């Protein structure tokens, strides 16, 4: 049996060491102010998130969850054109039954790619997969708005 202290992560020079078999991974450990700053500027964690999601997809290319997270990470990293492909792959794997995939595709189309008719289609599919949402009326209004008079580009 290993001593209890050996199970805890060790701190050395502002880095946390985590044992992973024989290899030792290092990741910087920001303090509380650092985390607030990362949340505020929005760019600090994006490259790491995209890289981790890409590794997850590499390990299991049929994982709809990994593809969804990759698509979300790419969108948050402002790589909009790249974000659509993994989201569409996740939709194909789930056979159109994942409301999260439809929701994030709608966000990508409406907020980033200015493809409002595609956003409306995805929102309709979202409502089909999640009929009991509390925001049904608001989403229907948004679909109508995107169909009749999309916002100026």
């Amino acid at each position: 049996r290993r001593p209890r202290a050996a199970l805890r992560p060790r701190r050395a020079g502002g880095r946390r060491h985590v044992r992973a078999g024989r290899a030792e991974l290092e990741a910087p450990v920001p303090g509380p102010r650092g985390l607030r700053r990362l949340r505020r500027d929005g760019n600090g964690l994006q490259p790491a998130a995209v890289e981790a999601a890409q590794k997850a997809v590499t390990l299991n290319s049929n994982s709809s969850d990994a593809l969804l997270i990759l698509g979300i990470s790419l969108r948050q990293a402002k790589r909009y054109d790249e974000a659509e492909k993994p989201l569409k792959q996740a939709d194909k794997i789930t056979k159109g039954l994942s409301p999260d995939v439809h929701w994030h595709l709608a966000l990508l189309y409406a907020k980033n790619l200015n493809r409002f008719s595609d956003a409306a289609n995805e929102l309709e599919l979202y409502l089909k997969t999640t009929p009991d949402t509390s925001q049904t009326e608001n989403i229907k209004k948004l679909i109508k708005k995107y169909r009749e008079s999309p916002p100026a580009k």
Side-chain angles (χ1 to χ4, degrees):
R1 234 176 120 162
R2 293 189 330 192
R4 188 171 182 87
L7 298 176
R8 291 191 213 124
R10 294 178 291 152
R11 271 185 165 291
R15 297 197 179 269
R16 180 175 289 160
H17 301 275
V18 181
R19 292 245 179 228
R22 291 182 163 190
E24 195 164 290
L25 306 174
E26 291 188 2
V29 181
R33 287 184 185 165
L35 286 175
R36 281 195 294 271
R37 203 170 22 255
L38 289 176
R39 284 191 206 115
R40 194 169 37 245
D41 73 347
N43 294 324
L45 295 176
Q46 302 318 322
V50 170
E51 187 178 322
Q54 286 171 333
K55 285 181 184 177
V57 170
T58 302
L59 292 172
N60 187 359
S61 60
N62 290 326
S63 170
S64 61
D65 292 332
L67 288 163
L68 175 64
I69 290 171
L70 177 58
I72 293 168
S73 300
L74 287 167
R75 180 177 172 265
Q76 290 175 342
K78 296 180 170 77
R79 293 162 58 181
Y80 306 126
D81 293 329
E82 297 173 55
E84 183 180 13
K85 184 180 175 186
L87 289 172
K88 291 298 257 181
Q89 287 176 329
D91 187 39
K92 185 177 176 183
I93 289 170
T94 61
K95 297 180 174 110
L97 299 176
S98 172
D100 292 332
V101 172
H102 296 302
W103 183 257
H104 286 285
L105 275 168
L107 284 174
L108 176 69
Y109 292 147
K111 301 283 186 186
N112 308 119
L113 298 178
N114 295 325
R115 291 169 42 188
F116 298 104
S117 63
D118 290 335
N121 293 339
E122 292 299 330
L123 288 172
E124 285 177 346
L125 291 170
Y126 172 80
L127 287 177
K128 285 181 183 176
T129 57
T130 316
D132 58 344
T133 180
S134 63
Q135 296 295 318
T136 300
E137 290 306 313
N138 292 335
I139 293 172
K140 286 181 180 179
K141 288 177 188 175
L142 193 58
I143 292 169
K144 185 177 178 183
K145 178 182 172 184
Y146 286 164
R147 295 252 188 251
E148 292 176 355
S149 59
K153 294 180 181 178

